[in-house]
Each structure stands twice: as C-alpha cells, then as structure tokens.
Amino acid sequence: MENALPFIFILISLFVPQCTVATDHPSCLSSCGSLRLKYPFGSGSGCGSPRFHPYVTCSAEPSNQLLLTTHAGTYPITSISYTTSTITITPPCMSTCTSMQQSSKLSLDWASPFQLGPSTFLMLSCTPPTSSLCIKGSLVCDPSSSHLCTSFYTCPSVIGLGLPLFPPTNTCCVYSPANLNSEDELDVKSMECGGYTSVVSLTDYPTDPTRWEYGVLLKYTHGAFDHYYIDNKCNGCEESGGVCGYSTVDNDSFVCVCNNGVNTTTQCSNFSDQDESIFWSSAQLHTWKSWLGILAGYLLFSIATYSEIGGESFWVGL
C-alpha cells in the first residue's frame, strides 16, 4: 500500500484543474481596422454578442476590415455609433459621385439584429417616368427632393450606368423614407432601375455631390440577452481592459477575454488564483470532478483494505 499511495496522488494531480486558460475560446480583438469594437460587436466567433455573429466579423489581414454578411452579400462597415445604435455600410455595388455602376439589390436578413435606418436613396437609371414608380401600390418617389437627382446627375461617372452626360432627371427617383420589401431587400431590378446610391448626410454642401457622405445607415437592436450582460457584466469587463465574449461550447455563457490570455466570467481585474469564477467551461469542470471522485473513492477503499489486512481498524483510528 505504501508503494501505491504516491502513484494515486500523482494521478489526482493530473486531473485537478490547474490555473491555465480554457482552450475552447478564441482570442478577441478590441478593434478591427480603424473601428473600435465594443459589445455587442466582436471580431469573430466567441466575441461580442452571439446574436451578432455570424453577421458581423473582422476579416483577416491584410484587409482587417469589419464586414456585415447577409444571405445575398457582404458589405464593409465604415462606422459604428454606439450612442445612436447605428452602423454605416458601403455596399460594393452602390454608386457614388466618383463611381457609378449597375446593381441588382441590397439585402438584409430578417432574423438579424439590423434594420434599415433613415438613409436617403436615389434610384438611378430608371425607366421613365419615375413619378409613377410604385411599390405595393404606393408611389415611392419624393418630388420635393428632385433637386438631389439634378445635383447627382452632374457627376461625370454617370456614364458608368449607360447614361449620357447630364441625363434627364426623370430617370432618377429620390426614395425617402425608404423601406425594404418582404424579403428584406431593396430590389433595384424589380423597380426597373439600373443602380442606386444612398446618402447618409449632405454635409454642408447640398448641391455638391462630391462632398456628400455616402453609405447605408442601419439600426441595430439589443435583445434581452444583450441588455442582461451589458447591465450586469459587460461594462465591468470592458472597463477592466477586457473584451466581452461568450463561450462557444457552454450555451453562449458570458466570457470576459483579457489581454493577458486569461478568460474569466467576471472582470480582468478580478482575476486571482482563488477566484471560483475563472476560465473553465462546465464541460471541463464536470470532467475533472468526475475523475477526482473516482480516485478519491479508490483511495479510501485501498486504505480500508490495507487497514483490515494489517489487523488494525482504520475507522476506529479516525
């Protein structure tokens, strides 16, 4: 029995959890390109909110760009406003004053946390007259804003749409406020148009399209899941220098990813060897506790057997 005891203790030491980082969680970035990432946004799986992945990801080097992916396309995200809960995307096929091109549609996913925001769309190279353009029986063009078409059509790149220089403005429609159809799409072809542009802001130059701010504004919503973690855990995690994320193997439970490589369920500044809330998933905890129970039982059985063989009562000795 004396020779067996060291072996038993060696086995126990192999299965008792050490202060090491869980291996089931990826590293998370606090920024992607020039954009700062805060909850609910994340750089990939296990980062930010599970509601926002896989819709939003950070592309690998060298582009290192934050992207929104839908069922019909991938769009670069150029800005995030955490104050207004909005993002701005720049669809690759969207026209601007410096580059106009044919486009088929803009799409979102109805199950995603994103909805179309208050952007102003200009439908371009449409079948005239656009004043009669209807969607679901309703006229969509805003005649009071037709001056935007006049200004935009002064851009020389208009020939990229197959139009002549200074084309007739009755081939342009100012669609504002804009809505997507039942499939969460702006279907350019079904509107009998060749392309579109979206203007986030006219800045201080309403008649100079070279200085407009182009992009599609999207609103995002926080679900109950996000509100719970923001109010209870995420703010503290980010204030301690961590990045908010979730476990990809433990029912999306909250994880605070720290820059020293440690993952906790609280805050980075709270980490210590005695913290009961650190770095193991429930699956890992269950595994080592099971082995420890088996080995402990075997140890007690061996001690009891040894005591009986030696003619001594182990239990009385206790």
Side-chain angles (χ1 to χ4, degrees):
M1 180 61 192
E2 292 178 355
N3 293 331
L5 284 175
F7 175 71
I8 293 173
F9 286 115
I10 290 174
L11 285 178
I12 292 176
S13 68
L14 291 176
F15 292 99
V16 173
Q18 307 297 315
C19 291
T20 55
V21 180
T23 58
D24 65 321
H25 199 279
S27 59
C28 296
L29 304 176
S30 59
S31 64
C32 181
S34 61
L35 298 179
R36 182 186 179 192
L37 297 181
K38 295 177 58 179
Y39 198 84
F41 293 94
S43 55
S45 176
C47 307
S49 166
R51 293 182 65 245
F52 283 66
H53 182 82
Y55 301 109
V56 176
T57 55
C58 184
S59 63
E61 296 287 357
S63 60
N64 196 29
Q65 190 171 41
L66 198 64
L67 302 173
L68 171 66
T69 300
T70 72
H71 66 277
T74 298
Y75 311 115
I77 300 175
T78 53
S79 68
I80 302 174
S81 172
Y82 294 99
T83 303
T84 61
S85 298
T86 58
I87 65 172
T88 301
I89 62 173
T90 54
C93 292
M94 184 186 73
S95 295
T96 65
C97 187
T98 57
S99 175
M100 298 194 198
Q101 55 193 313
Q102 299 285 329
S103 180
S104 59
K105 63 180 62 176
L106 166 72
S107 68
L108 298 178
D109 289 346
W110 67 267
S112 79
F114 297 99
Q115 296 177 330
L116 188 64
S119 301
T120 298
F121 284 86
L122 273 66
M123 309 307 299
L124 310 170
S125 188
C126 304
T127 302
T130 54
S131 58
S132 60
L133 181 60
C134 294
I135 296 179
K136 296 181 178 179
S138 300
L139 295 173
V140 299
C141 297
D142 180 10
S144 66
S145 300
S146 59
H147 62 279
L148 297 179
C149 287
T150 303
S151 298
F152 192 73
Y153 268 3
T154 63
C155 301
S157 63
V158 73
I159 60 175
L161 290 169
L163 295 171
L165 292 174
F166 306 104
T169 56
N170 66 350
T171 61
C172 174
C173 166
V174 179
Y175 184 25
S176 177
N179 290 302
L180 302 181
N181 61 23
S182 59
E183 297 179 352
D184 255 8
E185 295 179 344
L186 177 72
D187 195 336
V188 179
K189 289 187 176 180
S190 70
M191 297 175 71
E192 298 184 353
C193 298
Y196 74 95
T197 188
S198 178
V199 182
V200 176
S201 173
L202 299 175
T203 63
D204 294 327
Y205 305 92
T207 60
D208 187 355
T210 63
R211 302 193 181 191
W212 293 352
E213 181 182 350
Y214 296 96
V216 179
L217 194 68
L218 302 179
K219 299 179 294 183
Y220 63 88
T221 56
H222 293 286
F225 182 94
D226 298 323
H227 279 301
Y228 173 80
Y229 282 126
I230 288 174
D231 294 339
N232 292 275
K233 293 187 176 182
C234 191
N235 286 337
C237 171
E238 291 181 341
E239 289 173 359
S240 68
V243 177
C244 300
Y246 59 94
S247 172
T248 57
V249 297
D250 193 15
N251 298 319
D252 294 341
S253 58
F254 178 81
V255 173
C256 182
V257 184
C258 305
N259 55 18
N260 61 358
V262 172
N263 302 333
T264 83
T265 59
T266 53
Q267 304 177 26
C268 297
S269 57
N270 283 355
F271 169 75
S272 69
D273 289 348
Q274 304 302 319
D275 190 348
E276 296 180 355
S277 63
I278 54 177
F279 29 82
W280 300 289
S281 69
S282 61
Q284 291 170 310
L285 286 171
H286 179 74
T287 299
W288 78 259
K289 285 180 179 178
S290 298
W291 278 107
L292 186 60
I294 293 172
L295 291 173
Y298 176 73
L299 177 60
L300 290 175
F301 173 78
S302 299
I303 291 175
T305 302
Y306 175 75
S307 299
E308 290 178 2
I309 294 175
E312 299 175 358
S313 175
F314 171 74
W315 303 108
V316 172
L318 289 178

